[in-house]
Amino acid sequence: MQKASDQPHDAGSKHTSSKDKRYASLSDEDLLFRYFVEIGIIHQLVSTAFQNVLPHGLTGAQFTVLNHCVRMGDNKTPAELAEVLQVTRGTLTSTLARLESKKFIRVFPDAVDGRSKRVRLTAAGRKAREDGVRAAWPLINDVKAALPRQAAERDLPRLEELRSWLDNHRWASAHGKSKVRGKR
């Protein structure tokens, strides 16, 4: 039996109203903390489900690299990729080695700075990314019951705006100092 909290809410129900009384007593900080906790839980649930259907023995981290290279372009240095993906260089080096062994990327010396390397997506890597996206379609189709197209169209621009703001205002340390970045 599903718990009430597990059941999808209708987009027009009182549970999703922007004037929901359940949150009126929360401070702005508590409200935003709960908002980000919900995003984090959603991310964890979706990532786990997606990881289970990824083809070609891809891990979530490997798919993230392929997806980034398709969305934002390749020919980046491992250091640039590590920064944008917010992982250590060591973690990224391991991920790139596995992707290269699968022939999904090619790592080669930088033509200008021979000490540095560049990462390029191969045709097989581009196909593996597309296969991964297609493998997620059954999961996405299941989600349509809880998140109808109209709700996604309504919410997506605000989420993109929030992601862009967060990306451009990454925190430099745990001490509250922010580091404003240029657009990528």
Side-chain angles (χ1 to χ4, degrees), residues 6-72:
D6 292 338
Q7 295 173 354
H9 299 295
D10 177 46
S13 78
K14 66 178 181 174
H15 298 290
T16 58
S17 167
S18 62
K19 298 181 195 259
D20 196 323
K21 303 292 185 219
R22 294 178 295 164
Y23 309 118
S25 65
L26 295 177
S27 69
D28 290 351
E29 293 80 8
D30 284 336
L31 179 67
L32 287 174
F33 184 80
R34 285 191 57 184
Y35 186 83
F36 287 120
V37 165
E38 289 298 323
I39 289 172
I41 293 168
I42 291 166
H43 174 264
Q44 184 64 42
L45 292 167
V46 169
S47 295
T48 299
F50 185 52
Q51 176 70 46
N52 290 332
V53 299
L54 276 173
H56 309 292
L58 286 170
T59 65
Q62 292 167 6
F63 179 83
T64 297
V65 170
L66 296 178
N67 193 52
H68 175 80
C69 288
V70 168
R71 287 182 58 245
M72 305 303 290

Side-chain angles (χ1 to χ4, degrees), residues 102-167:
K102 295 177 184 189
K103 310 253 188 273
F104 292 157
I105 63 163
R106 190 171 147 253
V107 180
F108 59 96
D110 186 306
V112 176
D113 177 3
R115 297 170 299 164
S116 185
K117 295 186 185 288
R118 293 278 170 179
V119 177
R120 284 229 178 98
L121 199 58
T122 65
R126 190 171 298 279
K127 182 182 179 315
R129 185 266 186 184
E130 294 307 316
D131 291 347
V133 170
R134 278 193 300 282
W137 285 355
L139 300 172
I140 292 168
N141 278 320
D142 284 349
V143 172
K144 286 182 193 178
L147 183 67
R149 180 180 181 90
Q150 298 85 346
E153 287 176 352
R154 179 194 67 228
D155 298 344
L156 190 55
R158 185 67 182 125
L159 289 171
E160 289 171 337
E161 183 181 320
L162 177 60
R163 186 250 324 132
S164 180
W165 188 92
L166 289 168
D167 193 29

